Amino acid sequence: MKVGRSPGTGRFTSARARERFLGAYDRAFCLWPRPWAEQAVTTGLAVTHVHRYGPAGGVPVVLLHGAGSSGAQWYPFVAALGAARPVIALDTPGDPGRSTARVPLHPPGASAAWLEEVLAALGISRAHLVGHSRILAFLQAAE
Protein backbone atom coordinates (compact mmCIF):
# COMPACT_ATOMS: atom_id res chain seq x y z
CA MET A 1 0.00 0.00 0.00
CA LYS A 2 2.57 2.53 -0.94
CA VAL A 3 1.17 6.03 -1.03
CA GLY A 4 2.47 9.12 -2.80
CA ARG A 5 4.87 11.59 -1.21
CA SER A 6 2.03 13.30 0.58
CA PRO A 7 -0.46 10.67 1.74
CA GLY A 8 -3.37 13.10 1.72
CA THR A 9 -2.97 14.09 -1.92
CA GLY A 10 -2.76 10.72 -3.70
CA ARG A 11 -1.23 10.42 -7.14
CA PHE A 12 -3.41 12.63 -9.32
CA THR A 13 -1.55 15.10 -11.50
CA SER A 14 -4.33 17.67 -11.30
CA ALA A 15 -7.80 18.31 -9.94
CA ARG A 16 -9.18 17.72 -13.45
CA ALA A 17 -7.45 14.33 -13.66
CA ARG A 18 -8.89 13.41 -10.26
CA GLU A 19 -12.43 14.35 -11.31
CA ARG A 20 -12.14 12.44 -14.60
CA PHE A 21 -10.91 9.35 -12.79
CA LEU A 22 -13.57 9.50 -10.09
CA GLY A 23 -16.28 9.85 -12.75
CA ALA A 24 -15.07 6.63 -14.38
CA TYR A 25 -14.76 5.01 -10.96
CA ASP A 26 -18.38 5.86 -10.12
CA ARG A 27 -19.57 4.54 -13.49
CA ALA A 28 -17.74 1.24 -12.85
CA PHE A 29 -19.94 0.67 -9.81
CA CYS A 30 -22.99 0.64 -12.10
CA LEU A 31 -21.91 -2.97 -12.70
CA TRP A 32 -22.53 -3.89 -9.04
CA PRO A 33 -25.92 -5.44 -8.20
CA ARG A 34 -28.57 -3.25 -6.59
CA PRO A 35 -29.12 -2.13 -3.95
CA TRP A 36 -25.64 -1.41 -2.64
CA ALA A 37 -24.42 1.25 -0.27
CA GLU A 38 -21.19 3.10 0.24
CA GLN A 39 -19.65 4.98 3.13
CA ALA A 40 -16.39 6.55 4.24
CA VAL A 41 -14.81 5.12 7.39
CA THR A 42 -12.29 7.36 9.15
CA THR A 43 -9.59 5.79 11.31
CA GLY A 44 -6.21 6.99 12.54
CA LEU A 45 -4.49 5.62 9.44
CA ALA A 46 -6.86 6.43 6.57
CA VAL A 47 -10.24 7.46 5.29
CA THR A 48 -11.44 4.24 3.69
CA HIS A 49 -14.19 4.03 1.11
CA VAL A 50 -16.42 1.01 1.80
CA HIS A 51 -19.00 -0.66 -0.47
CA ARG A 52 -21.72 -2.93 0.96
CA TYR A 53 -24.14 -5.36 -0.61
CA GLY A 54 -26.38 -8.13 0.69
CA PRO A 55 -28.30 -8.85 3.88
CA ALA A 56 -27.39 -7.23 7.18
CA GLY A 57 -26.97 -10.45 9.17
CA GLY A 58 -24.30 -13.12 9.09
CA VAL A 59 -20.54 -13.23 8.94
CA PRO A 60 -19.53 -10.83 6.15
CA VAL A 61 -17.29 -11.52 3.19
CA VAL A 62 -14.68 -8.74 3.09
CA LEU A 63 -13.18 -8.21 -0.35
CA LEU A 64 -9.66 -6.80 -0.67
CA HIS A 65 -8.67 -5.91 -4.22
CA GLY A 66 -5.26 -6.32 -5.79
CA ALA A 67 -2.62 -3.68 -6.42
CA GLY A 68 -3.66 -0.85 -8.70
CA SER A 69 -7.37 -1.70 -8.57
CA SER A 70 -10.46 -0.87 -6.51
CA GLY A 71 -13.54 -2.53 -5.09
CA ALA A 72 -15.22 -2.19 -8.49
CA GLN A 73 -13.24 -5.22 -9.71
CA TRP A 74 -15.40 -7.56 -7.64
CA TYR A 75 -18.64 -6.91 -9.58
CA PRO A 76 -18.82 -10.40 -11.22
CA PHE A 77 -18.88 -12.07 -7.78
CA VAL A 78 -20.85 -9.70 -5.53
CA ALA A 79 -24.37 -11.00 -6.23
CA ALA A 80 -23.45 -14.65 -5.60
CA LEU A 81 -21.38 -13.87 -2.51
CA GLY A 82 -24.09 -11.57 -1.15
CA ALA A 83 -27.00 -13.96 -1.61
CA ALA A 84 -26.76 -15.17 2.00
CA ARG A 85 -24.36 -12.83 3.77
CA PRO A 86 -23.12 -9.24 3.70
CA VAL A 87 -20.40 -8.37 1.21
CA ILE A 88 -18.04 -5.53 2.05
CA ALA A 89 -15.47 -4.30 -0.46
CA LEU A 90 -12.76 -1.97 0.80
CA ASP A 91 -10.84 0.44 -1.41
CA THR A 92 -7.30 0.26 -0.07
CA PRO A 93 -5.55 3.59 0.47
CA GLY A 94 -2.84 4.33 -2.06
CA ASP A 95 -4.65 2.58 -4.90
CA PRO A 96 -7.12 4.08 -7.39
CA GLY A 97 -10.38 4.91 -5.66
CA ARG A 98 -11.83 7.17 -3.01
CA SER A 99 -9.74 6.04 -0.02
CA THR A 100 -6.99 8.33 1.29
CA ALA A 101 -4.11 7.37 3.55
CA ARG A 102 -3.44 9.69 6.46
CA VAL A 103 0.04 8.19 7.02
CA PRO A 104 2.27 6.07 4.77
CA LEU A 105 1.02 2.47 4.66
CA HIS A 106 3.74 0.75 2.69
CA PRO A 107 5.13 -1.83 5.17
CA PRO A 108 2.84 -4.89 5.42
CA GLY A 109 2.46 -4.36 9.18
CA ALA A 110 1.04 -0.86 8.63
CA SER A 111 -1.38 -2.25 6.06
CA ALA A 112 -2.46 -4.95 8.52
CA ALA A 113 -3.04 -2.29 11.18
CA TRP A 114 -5.16 -0.35 8.66
CA LEU A 115 -7.32 -3.42 8.00
CA GLU A 116 -7.76 -4.08 11.73
CA GLU A 117 -8.81 -0.46 12.31
CA VAL A 118 -11.33 -0.47 9.47
CA LEU A 119 -12.90 -3.76 10.53
CA ALA A 120 -13.15 -2.52 14.12
CA ALA A 121 -14.74 0.75 12.99
CA LEU A 122 -17.30 -1.27 10.99
CA GLY A 123 -18.05 -3.42 14.05
CA ILE A 124 -16.71 -6.55 12.36
CA SER A 125 -15.05 -9.01 14.74
CA ARG A 126 -15.27 -12.01 12.42
CA ALA A 127 -15.16 -12.13 8.62
CA HIS A 128 -14.31 -14.21 5.58
CA LEU A 129 -11.43 -12.34 3.92
CA VAL A 130 -11.04 -12.63 0.16
CA GLY A 131 -8.12 -11.01 -1.62
CA HIS A 132 -5.34 -11.43 -4.12
CA SER A 133 -2.07 -9.90 -5.24
CA ARG A 134 -0.03 -8.03 -2.62
CA ILE A 135 -3.00 -8.01 -0.27
CA LEU A 136 -1.94 -11.48 0.80
CA ALA A 137 1.31 -10.10 2.27
CA PHE A 138 -0.47 -7.84 4.72
CA LEU A 139 -3.04 -10.49 5.58
CA GLN A 140 -0.13 -12.65 6.67
CA ALA A 141 1.23 -9.73 8.71
CA ALA A 142 -2.17 -9.46 10.45
CA GLU A 143 -2.08 -13.05 11.72
Side-chain angles (χ1 to χ4, degrees):
M1 291 234 191
K2 200 168 187 178
V3 297
R5 288 186 188 110
S6 174
T9 61
R11 295 183 179 143
F12 295 105
T13 57
S14 68
R16 184 173 185 269
R18 180 181 188 278
E19 291 309 312
R20 286 183 62 206
F21 169 79
L22 291 176
Y25 169 91
D26 291 342
R27 287 187 300 277
F29 276 94
C30 291
L31 299 170
W32 268 50
R34 299 286 187 254
W36 63 274
E38 57 187 320
Q39 71 182 101
V41 174
T42 302
T43 65
L45 297 173
V47 178
T48 304
H49 203 72
V50 178
H51 306 272
R52 293 176 176 259
Y53 175 77
V59 177
V61 174
V62 176
L63 304 174
L64 301 163
H65 62 77
S69 190
S70 73
Q73 79 169 50
W74 296 108
Y75 79 89
F77 313 105
V78 172
L81 290 171
R85 66 183 73 239
V87 174
I88 298 170
L90 306 177
D91 281 347
T92 56
D95 283 322
R98 293 189 176 276
S99 294
T100 306
R102 298 173 76 163
V103 298
L105 295 175
H106 48 82
S111 298
W114 161 78
L115 179 59
E116 290 173 355
E117 280 191 9
V118 171
L119 294 179
L122 291 169
I124 298 171
S125 60
R126 186 169 169 241
H128 301 284
L129 299 177
V130 178
H132 65 91
S133 184
R134 59 125 160 89
I135 295 299
L136 300 176
F138 79 75
L139 290 178
Q140 289 174 336
E143 290 183 322

